[in-house]
Amino acid sequence: MDIGAIDYFANGGNSFLHRASTRYKLIFVALVIASVVITDDFILLLSVYLILTAFVILTRLPFLKIISIASYPAIFALLFAIASWNGNWIGSGVIVFKALDAALATVLLIVTTPYPNVFAALEPLLPKVVVEGLFLTYRSIFILLELIDNLIKALRLRGGLTPGRYLKNIINFSSGIGLLLVRGFDLSERFYGVMRIRGYNGKMAELESKKLDKRDAVPILIGILVLALSLAGYVRNDLSKYYIYAFMISILSVLFTVSYTYIQKSRGLNWKN
Amino acid sequence: MSHMHIPDGVLPFWLVSAGWIVTLAILYISIRWSSGIKLEQKLPLIGIAAALMIVGMTLEIVPIAYHINMSVIAGIVLGPALGFIAVFIVDLIIAMFGHGGITVVGLNTLIVGAEAVLGFYLFRACLSVLRRGGISIGFSSALAALFSLMLSTSLMIGIVHISQINPSEALHNDVQNSGQSIVSHERGYLYEDSNSQNRRIDTVRFAKTVLFLGIFGWVLEAAITGFVIGYVSRVRPDLIFSKAT
């Protein structure tokens, strides 16, 4: 999980999802997750995944990188699927695609939204200490990543991480983590102090208007559509035979977005710039 | 290893809802409990301890999502209340990165939060007993980490096991035979009336897999926790022995 790259994608992009309001993107994610929770239909889950894949292509961010970030939960889902294996591969596929759908929807939010916007949108739902903690934690991750980079280099240069000397390596590595904790705390305390001096009082600034804009229409409509399909199949099981049409449409949407981005020669453009 | 990477929609709705309700209740109590201290002084420590946990959780030791949690370190440094808040923050952030489901955040916070809370109390207990025998702070924290991880992994297996007990199914067991399945060949594969029937987990197999993988993780994490806490106690003892919150 490359947090630095995710932050870069969120701040550097200019796609329709980057421009959409954080509040409505959160609703979109909630709708997709709700539909993933409701449905157990493999075809629908596969269709949702393909539609989300089309979204990834349209963001013009590096496709494989985003997909690989969002595929991480599939590893544990696979373990879960193996544990519940009853000879029916559809059942295992459902577990894996539930993981992939929910993760890809969430990752789409994170790679298209700067983190202060996400935390600001969550502010009404969470206690103040948690929102402040979220903000400071996210900031501290970058402090730690920089410190870890220097630490690993220093350990290697001084022979602290030598192949074959496992116990010595663990001791050196652990002392390094202890050092990171102490140094990171000092830096985080200083950072927080500077923020307080500059007027930060624990409240995140309202960055966007609450009104539904036309740029929010696509994620909201797709979210509602996906949830409606799941609910329809849940309420009347015989309706799920029509999911095959959703599957065809999702394949077409992927083909369309691929050709559209190739025609525009804009694949991965935001990353390259 | 005790962190559940279970995706959204796999565990029953009643269980994930219960997880969220219990977590929010504990979170509320933790915030009330820590309201007596100056949070401005503790927030940077929450931030860095939580960030350390995230970095630890994102570093795969073995490429099967096998990582260290460092939750016991967070518990020892922050205390049980702030440790639990830090764990909730961590679970929320990593769920946003697709590392485990959003709906599972409640249950994950309970499991990893149990590590932090138990880690703190076991560390203090070990220290008060073992110090008289000249055993170091590092060894006490390693022992605390080992037992906390064993207990939290057992808690995770327990949650996975009870996830198969559907309360409504249990209540209506006399009326309806829960084993009945409606077979439909409309699309060439099997449908079952109760979808949860399709995903019965062999708890023994799951427990064996997790415990087999877990043992290495417990020992490794206990060793790392011991060395980290040993180091911090020498450099900044105030971070470890400050008033518990």
Side-chain angles (χ1 to χ4, degrees):
Chain A
M1 188 162 76
D2 194 344
I3 297 168
I6 290 171
D7 199 59
Y8 184 81
F9 296 152
N11 286 289
N14 192 30
S15 69
F16 77 103
L17 267 179
H18 283 91
R19 289 192 300 271
S21 155
T22 311
R23 187 169 285 106
Y24 296 106
K25 277 190 275 186
L26 272 171
I27 294 170
F28 162 71
V29 173
L31 291 169
V32 171
I33 289 174
S35 67
V36 162
V37 170
I38 290 167
T39 191
D40 276 308
D41 192 282
F42 180 73
I43 299 289
L44 181 62
L45 288 166
L46 188 60
S47 311
V48 173
Y49 189 73
L50 288 172
I51 289 168
L52 293 172
T53 305
F55 271 32
V56 175
I57 295 166
L58 283 175
T59 60
R60 294 171 174 86
L61 293 171
F63 179 75
L64 288 177
K65 182 90 179 166
I66 306 292
I67 293 294
S68 69
I69 291 169
S71 299
Y72 188 75
I75 299 167
F76 202 82
L78 212 57
L79 190 69
F80 209 78
I82 292 165
S84 58
W85 175 255
N86 59 359
N88 178 14
W89 66 270
I90 292 286
S92 305
V94 164
I95 294 174
V96 172
F97 271 96
K98 272 176 181 260
L100 289 173
D101 286 358
L104 191 53
T106 324
V107 167
L108 262 172
L109 168 75
I110 293 300
V111 295
T112 58
T113 320
Y115 70 95
N117 298 27
V118 179
F119 299 152
L122 288 173
E123 199 171 29
L125 307 171
L126 294 169
K128 190 183 159 201
V129 61
V130 174
V131 177
E132 281 202 83
L134 277 169
F135 182 67
L136 275 169
T137 301
Y138 203 84
R139 186 68 190 84
S140 300
I141 290 170
F142 293 96
I143 293 174
L144 274 184
L145 286 175
E146 199 182 325
L147 289 174
I148 281 180
D149 198 34
N150 292 337
L151 173 83
I152 301 284
K153 272 181 202 155
L155 277 173
R156 284 194 197 285
L157 281 171
R158 294 176 189 188
L161 294 174
T162 317
R165 297 176 67 189
Y166 300 110
L167 185 65
K168 192 77 187 159
N169 289 349
I170 288 175
I171 294 171
N172 289 335
F173 181 70
S174 306
S175 300
I177 291 175
L179 177 71
L180 286 182
L181 184 68
V182 174
R183 284 260 299 138
F185 172 60
D186 289 340
L187 289 171
S188 183
E189 200 174 32
R190 201 179 307 160
F191 167 72
Y192 188 67
V194 169
M195 273 173 36
R196 301 288 292 192
I197 288 168
R198 288 180 178 175
Y200 174 71
N201 61 356
K203 186 152 175 59
M204 308 290 285
E206 192 76 48
L207 297 165
E208 297 164 327
S209 77
K210 289 181 181 173
K211 281 172 69 178
L212 185 68
D213 201 272
K214 62 180 179 187
R215 63 195 173 163
D216 308 320
V218 175
I220 284 291
L221 283 176
I222 295 289
I224 291 170
L225 184 70
V226 165
L227 183 63
L229 284 169
S230 299
L231 278 171
Y234 183 77
V235 175
R236 280 186 59 183
N237 205 18
D238 57 320
L239 287 177
S240 55
K241 65 185 172 200
Y242 297 109
Y243 286 160
I244 197 75
Y245 298 111
F247 179 61
M248 286 174 182
I249 291 167
S250 64
I251 290 178
L252 284 175
S253 66
V254 171
L255 290 174
F256 173 75
T257 48
V258 168
S259 47
Y260 177 74
T261 47
Y262 265 95
I263 288 165
Q264 289 214 329
K265 293 181 181 170
S266 56
R267 186 175 62 91
L269 197 66
N270 290 326
W271 178 240
K272 284 171 191 167
N273 286 345
Chain B
M1 191 63 206
S2 58
H3 178 258
M4 290 202 298
H5 302 242
I6 295 172
D8 293 302
V10 171
L11 294 177
F13 184 71
W14 66 269
L15 185 64
V16 290
S17 309
W20 266 102
I21 291 165
V22 177
T23 294
L24 290 176
I26 299 174
L27 204 61
Y28 175 76
I29 294 165
S30 303
I31 291 167
R32 287 292 298 269
W33 197 11
S34 55
S35 61
I37 58 151
K38 277 194 170 181
L39 266 179
E40 299 85 55
Q41 289 169 356
K42 287 283 185 181
L43 271 169
L45 195 55
I46 292 177
I48 208 72
L52 199 64
M53 286 172 72
I54 291 172
V55 171
M57 283 183 184
T58 55
L59 292 174
E60 273 185 293
I61 296 172
V62 182
I64 47 163
Y66 195 96
H67 57 70
I68 49 172
N69 279 353
M70 299 202 216
S71 45
V72 177
I73 296 173
I76 292 170
V77 170
L78 294 168
L82 294 182
F84 193 84
I85 295 170
V87 168
F88 178 72
I89 290 166
V90 168
D91 280 328
L92 206 57
I93 290 181
I94 61 172
M96 281 181 197
F97 290 124
H99 194 104
I102 293 272
T103 53
V104 197
V105 166
L107 289 171
N108 268 333
T109 306
L110 287 179
I111 295 168
V112 186
E115 275 173 29
V117 174
L118 283 169
F120 172 81
Y121 286 114
L122 285 171
F123 171 67
R124 293 277 166 125
C126 287
L127 207 59
S128 62
V129 174
L130 297 176
R131 221 176 189 181
R132 282 174 231 146
I135 304 289
S136 69
I137 293 166
F139 188 71
S140 300
S141 53
L143 269 182
L146 190 69
F147 286 113
S148 305
L149 289 165
M150 279 169 70
L151 289 166
S152 68
T153 308
S154 308
L155 183 63
M156 180 185 80
I157 294 166
I159 287 174
V160 170
H161 179 68
I162 63 166
S163 72
Q164 295 169 83
I165 301 163
N166 186 339
S168 59
E169 201 176 272
L171 283 170
H172 297 99
N173 210 22
D174 293 336
V175 185
Q176 213 174 5
N177 183 356
S178 62
Q180 269 184 340
S181 63
I182 296 167
V183 180
S184 162
H185 293 288
E186 276 176 334
R187 284 215 303 265
Y189 54 82
L190 185 85
Y191 273 94
E192 283 190 287
D193 186 29
S194 168
N195 287 321
S196 61
Q197 291 291 311
N198 220 7
R199 289 198 306 266
R200 281 268 178 254
I201 295 161
D202 184 345
T203 315
V204 177
R205 198 192 307 168
F206 183 74
K208 277 181 184 169
T209 314
V210 170
L211 290 173
F212 174 73
L213 293 170
I215 290 167
F216 302 104
W218 301 339
V219 173
L220 186 67
E221 183 150 1
I224 289 174
T225 304
F227 290 126
V228 170
I229 295 297
Y231 177 86
V232 177
S233 69
R234 288 194 298 276
V235 181
R236 286 285 300 269
D238 58 303
L239 288 182
I240 303 213
F241 298 108
S242 60
K243 189 173 170 279
T245 42

